C-alpha cells in the first residue's frame, strides 16, 4: 500500500513539474511575442512621424509603411493559434474575427486598391491601429513580466473609448471609398457561367461587410466598457493575454 501511495505521489509530482515547465515555456514565448509586436508597431509609428515631418503630407505615407504594416498585422495570426492551443484564455472565434478583419482591411482593401491608399480614412485607421497596438502589446508584455505601470493600464482601459470608434469610422469610410473601383474593375468577383457554377460579387460582399459593423460594433464596444469597469473596480476578469 505504501509503495502504491509513493508511486502516486511521484507521478503527481512529475505531472506538476511538466505543467510548470509548459507554463514557463508558454510565458516565455508570449513575452517574446508581445515584445516583438510592441517594437514592430513602435517602428511603424516612428516611420509615420518621420515621413510626415519630411514630406509634410500624408500622400504616399501608406505606400512607405505598407510592408511593415502587412508583416506585423499578418503576424497577429499567431494569436489565433495561441487561443487554439490554450496558452491564452480567450475565444478562438472572437480572436479570429478581430484578427481576420484587420488582415482583410490590409490585404483585400487597402493593398489591393491602390487608388484609395492616399485617402485620409486610411491614415486614420492606421494611426488608430498603431496607437492601440502599442498600448495593447506593451500592456501584455508588462503584465507577463509582473511589472505593470499604472499609466499603461490606464491607457489600455481608457484610450479605446475614443480610438475604437475612430478606427471603425476610418475602416468604414475606406471600404466605402473602395466601392466604385471594385464595381468598375470587377475584382475578386466570379460571374456566371463558369466551370464552378458559382457566382460571387465582391462589390456586394463589401456592402455586407459594412452592414455587419452595425450589430458587431456595439457588442464589442460594450464588452470593452464592461472590462474597463471591472478592472477599475478591482474585480477579477478573464481577458485576452496578448
Amino acid at each position: 500500500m505504501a509503495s502504491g501511495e509513493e508511486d502516486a505521489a511521484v507521478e503527481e509530482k512529475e505531472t506538476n513539474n511538466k505543467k510548470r515547465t509548459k507554463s514557463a515555456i508558454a510565458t516565455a514565448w508570449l513575452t517574446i511575442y508581445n515584445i516583438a509586436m510592441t517594437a514592430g508597431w513602435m517602428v511603424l509609428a516612428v516611420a509615420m512621424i518621420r515621413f510626415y515631418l519630411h514630406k509634410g503630407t500624408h500622400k504616399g505615407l501608406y505606400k512607405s509603411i505598407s510592408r511593415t504594416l502587412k508583416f506585423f498585422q499578418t503576424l497577429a495570426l499567431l494569436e489565433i493559434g495561441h487561443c487554439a492551443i490554450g496558452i491564452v484564455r480567450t475565444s478562438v472565434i472572437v480572436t479570429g474575427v478581430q484578427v481576420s478583419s484587420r488582415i482583410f482591411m490590409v490585404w483585400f482593401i487597402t493593398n489591393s486598391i491602390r487608388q484609395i491608399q492616399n485617402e485620409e480614412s486610411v491614415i486614420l485607421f492606421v494611426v488608430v491601429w498603431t496607437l492601440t497596438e502599442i498600448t495593447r502589446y506593451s500592456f501584455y508584455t508588462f503584465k507577463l513580466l509582473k511589472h505593470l505601470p499604472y499609466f499603461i493600464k490606464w491607457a489600455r482601459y481608457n484610450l479605446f473609448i475614443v480610438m475604437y470608434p475612430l478606427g471603425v469610422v476610418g475602416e468604414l469610410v475606406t471600404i466605402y471609398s473602395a466601392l466604385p473601383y471594385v464595381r468598375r474593375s470587377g475584382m475578386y468577383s466570379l460571374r456566371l457561367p463558369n466551370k464552378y457554377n458559382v457566382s460571387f460579387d465582391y462589390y456586394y460582399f463589401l456592402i455586407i461587410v459594412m452592414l455587419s459593423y452595425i450589430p458587431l460594433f456595439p457588442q464589442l464596444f460594450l464588452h470593452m466598457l464592461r472590462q474597463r469597469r471591472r478592472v477599475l473596480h478591482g474585480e477579477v476578469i478573464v481577458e485576452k493575454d496578448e
Side-chain angles (χ1 to χ4, degrees):
M1 181 68 69
S3 178
E5 291 176 354
E6 289 175 1
D7 290 342
V10 170
E11 185 176 345
E12 183 179 356
K13 185 177 180 180
E14 289 178 351
T15 301
N16 291 334
N17 287 337
K18 288 180 181 179
K19 287 181 179 179
R20 282 195 292 268
T21 301
K22 288 181 180 179
S23 178
I25 293 172
T27 300
W29 163 248
L30 289 176
T31 302
I32 293 169
Y33 172 79
N34 284 292
I35 289 173
M37 294 298 276
T38 302
W41 286 95
M42 288 182 72
V43 166
L44 197 64
V46 171
M48 286 192 287
I49 293 170
R50 290 181 62 184
F51 180 92
Y52 192 80
L53 291 176
H54 179 66
K55 301 288 186 179
T57 177
H58 70 279
K59 293 184 177 180
L61 191 155
Y62 180 83
K63 185 177 179 180
S64 72
I65 60 154
S66 61
R67 287 186 179 180
T68 306
L69 175 64
K70 286 185 288 187
F71 177 80
F72 283 101
Q73 189 55 69
T74 304
L75 193 62
L77 283 169
L78 289 173
E79 296 176 26
I80 301 175
H82 295 164
C83 300
I85 63 178
I87 63 175
V88 172
R89 295 177 297 171
T90 192
S91 168
V92 177
I93 295 175
V94 171
T95 303
V97 169
Q98 291 174 338
V99 173
S100 299
S101 64
R102 290 276 195 92
I103 291 175
F104 176 78
M105 282 299 304
V106 170
W107 285 100
F108 296 98
I109 301 292
T110 317
N111 185 70
S112 299
I113 309 167
R114 295 182 179 179
Q115 295 91 330
I116 66 169
Q117 290 179 0
N118 288 326
E119 294 286 337
E120 288 85 353
S121 60
V122 173
I123 306 305
L124 175 60
F125 79 71
V126 171
V127 169
V128 168
W129 286 8
T130 302
L131 294 174
T132 301
E133 297 299 58
I134 289 173
T135 302
R136 186 169 73 95
Y137 286 117
S138 60
F139 172 84
Y140 294 128
T141 298
F142 284 115
K143 191 175 178 183
L144 286 163
L145 295 173
K146 303 187 185 302
H147 184 72
L148 179 62
Y150 178 76
F151 77 91
I152 295 291
K153 181 179 179 180
W154 181 92
R156 166 65 177 156
Y157 289 106
N158 285 280
L159 290 183
F160 80 90
I161 296 173
V162 175
M163 292 298 176
Y164 197 20
L166 283 177
V168 167
V169 169
E171 292 171 26
L172 285 173
V173 173
T174 298
I175 297 174
Y176 181 79
S177 300
L179 289 177
Y181 301 104
V182 171
R183 189 166 206 173
R184 284 200 299 268
S185 66
M187 62 183 299
Y188 298 142
S189 297
L190 190 62
R191 311 295 187 188
L192 289 173
N194 58 68
K195 64 179 181 179
Y196 304 108
N197 200 30
V198 174
S199 176
F200 174 75
D201 195 311
Y202 191 55
Y203 174 83
Y204 290 108
F205 174 76
L206 290 183
I207 292 176
I208 293 171
V209 169
M210 292 177 69
L211 292 174
S212 72
Y213 278 71
I214 297 173
L216 291 176
F217 169 72
Q219 292 183 43
L220 293 173
F221 190 72
L222 289 173
H223 172 68
M224 290 294 291
L225 284 175
R226 285 193 295 270
Q227 284 191 324
R228 176 180 179 272
R229 286 196 296 268
R230 290 169 182 169
V231 170
L232 293 181
H233 285 84
E235 297 177 20
V236 177
I237 60 171
V238 176
E239 70 153 348
K240 190 177 179 183
D241 289 334
E242 58 170 41

